[in-house]
Amino acid sequence: MKYFTLDQLDTINQGEQKPARFAVIGNPVSHSLSPQLHQAALDSLEKDARYIRVEVEIGKLAEAFTKMHAAGIKGVNVTVPHKLEALEACQQVDPAAAHMGAVNTVILNADGTRSGFNTDGPGFSRAIREEFGVDLSDLKVIIIGAGGGAGRAIATQCTLEDCPQIILVNRSLGKIEELATKLLRLRKTESLAGPRDRISSIALDDPALEESIAASELIINTTSIGLKSADPSPFPSHWIEPHHLVYDSIYNPSRTRLLREASKQGARVANGLSLLIHQGALSLEYWLDREAPLQAMRQGLLDSIKD
Ligand code: ATR
């Protein structure tokens, strides 16, 4: 079965050798690669536990968590469109998740309460360190598609790490102007001293984007442009120079047009597989309170993508 619904939670262990202990919830959820990532980790750690998918309707998150707790589930990953509702359904929320306005990792505590975290931002930070051998906090970044869910999480992480430059780019400007205001407020809350103009916004079709790209060190694509192999690059790729680091949050296809053309321009490139692995690894660390087996997780994912 590709996924369970809430009504089927009492049957999740029928005919199974290992009990379901962890799950991803979303809607739709059948495409989620989290089971391949996490089951590989659980197996490599020899845990007597299964990781399942559960499809949940909007507005039913609290009910889902209660039912999953009753069914013996200990930890949950939350994906689109539930990350905000998950935050609201947790009694304890990690400050970084509260800043992001999104929870992607939940611990279902023994007493029935829920603790929420967000591993997307910190997972991105680890991915950049792994891929390029530099700290995100040292980089001038430009985020193409900062108005989407992934872009917002990354922009919040960049703000928390006080990157020397954060340029938010989006097709529709309204979303990122609102985000920029929030991030500037966050800088104040965190008592970050640098100048306010570290954070700026620009529309994807603004001719001044070329200059913004030239001024950046790390270019991040978080738009969905590139998911289809015929998609163009989100901006003219001849603007990319050899000094750039280019990260595409898309991992399937493994080389988007942006990454292919950036490579040709001499830039160093990486795809979103490392983000997927590190956000998952951090979730597992919250649930099991131990280091995650990164290599097993990577292999589990690669095998599933190959299939
Ligand atoms: P979410 O991540 O919240 O689910 P999404 O609809 O997948 O959002 O979109 C992610 C990002 O891709 C957004 O920044 C979106 O731009 P808008 O906010 O203007 O919609 C961007 N995006 C999607 N398709 C695009 C396209 N054809 N051209 C430019 N940007 C696009």
Side-chain angles (χ1 to χ4, degrees):
M1 184 181 285
K2 285 196 97 176
Y3 62 87
F4 294 91
T5 61
L6 276 195
D7 295 338
Q8 295 166 333
L9 282 182
D10 50 350
T11 67
I12 49 178
N13 293 325
Q14 276 176 16
E16 297 286 347
Q17 288 185 339
K18 292 181 176 182
R21 291 281 180 250
F22 303 97
V24 56
I25 57 177
N27 197 339
V29 76
S30 59
H31 64 284
S32 170
L33 293 179
S34 291
Q36 287 89 330
L37 183 69
H38 285 283
Q39 195 64 55
L42 294 169
D43 292 348
S44 112
L45 296 173
E46 299 184 353
K47 294 281 175 193
D48 185 28
R50 245 162 73 241
Y51 187 106
I52 61 169
R53 297 184 185 91
V54 180
E55 190 171 275
V56 177
E57 288 160 38
I58 290 172
K60 299 219 163 168
L61 259 263
E63 179 189 338
F65 287 144
T66 302
K67 286 189 169 166
M68 291 167 96
H69 178 247
I73 306 267
K74 310 282 183 207
V76 184
N77 279 132
V78 181
T79 187
V80 181
H82 296 314
K83 292 186 186 186
L84 172 61
E85 199 182 331
L87 185 148
E88 290 162 352
C90 286
Q91 287 80 6
Q92 302 98 32
V93 178
D94 181 64
H99 292 317
M100 286 176 198
V103 155
N104 79 331
T105 302
V106 178
I107 301 176
L108 300 179
N109 299 304
D111 65 1
T113 61
R114 304 142 198 155
S115 306
F117 306 88
N118 191 308
T119 67
D120 289 329
F124 178 73
S125 191
R126 284 198 188 185
I128 292 302
R129 173 94 222 148
E130 179 194 286
E131 299 280 11
F132 300 125
V134 285
D135 286 331
L136 180 61
S137 58
D138 290 334
L139 293 170
K140 292 181 179 174
V141 302
I142 184 161
I143 306 166
I144 318 285
R152 276 199 302 272
I154 289 172
T156 307
Q157 185 68 25
C158 293
T159 303
L160 289 170
E161 295 203 18
D162 202 12
C163 290
Q165 170 207 286
I166 304 168
I167 302 179
L168 310 171
V169 186
N170 212 50
R171 174 175 56 182
S172 38
L173 207 49
K175 278 192 200 170
I176 47 168
E177 282 174 342
E178 199 181 307
L179 175 64
T181 307
K182 269 196 197 156
L183 296 181
L184 286 170
R185 214 176 300 138
L186 176 58
R187 283 185 60 81
K188 239 187 189 165
T189 317
E190 297 287 303
S191 307
L192 299 175
R196 285 169 58 90
D197 63 2
R198 282 183 174 206
I199 300 177
S200 59
S201 317
I202 181 168
L204 188 57
D205 61 359
D206 190 321
L209 183 62
E210 180 173 3
E211 225 172 280
S212 300
I213 296 233
S216 304
E217 293 161 331
L218 174 63
I219 303 170
I220 308 154
N221 176 45
T222 54
T223 73
S224 40
I225 306 171
L227 277 174
K228 298 190 207 95
S229 46
D231 280 350
S233 171
F235 59 89
S237 40
H238 63 265
W239 293 351
I240 299 172
E241 296 169 41
H243 78 269
H244 281 129
L245 307 173
V246 183
Y247 192 93
D248 200 325
S249 63
I250 295 170
Y251 55 85
N252 194 8
S254 63
R255 282 281 178 266
T256 56
R257 188 181 298 266
L258 169 66
L259 293 191
R260 289 198 308 272
E261 295 183 351
S263 276
K264 276 196 206 142
Q265 294 290 112
R268 291 169 66 197
V269 304
N271 73 16
L273 210 61
S274 45
L275 168 56
L276 186 61
I277 292 167
H278 282 288
Q279 61 78 30
L282 284 164
S283 296
L284 202 79
E285 288 175 17
Y286 278 121
W287 298 328
L288 302 182
D289 200 18
R290 61 171 294 172
E291 211 175 309
L294 282 176
Q295 197 41 44
M297 297 177 92
R298 188 184 319 272
Q299 198 53 52
L301 258 191
L302 289 175
D303 291 346
S304 70
I305 293 172
K306 198 170 60 201
D307 295 347

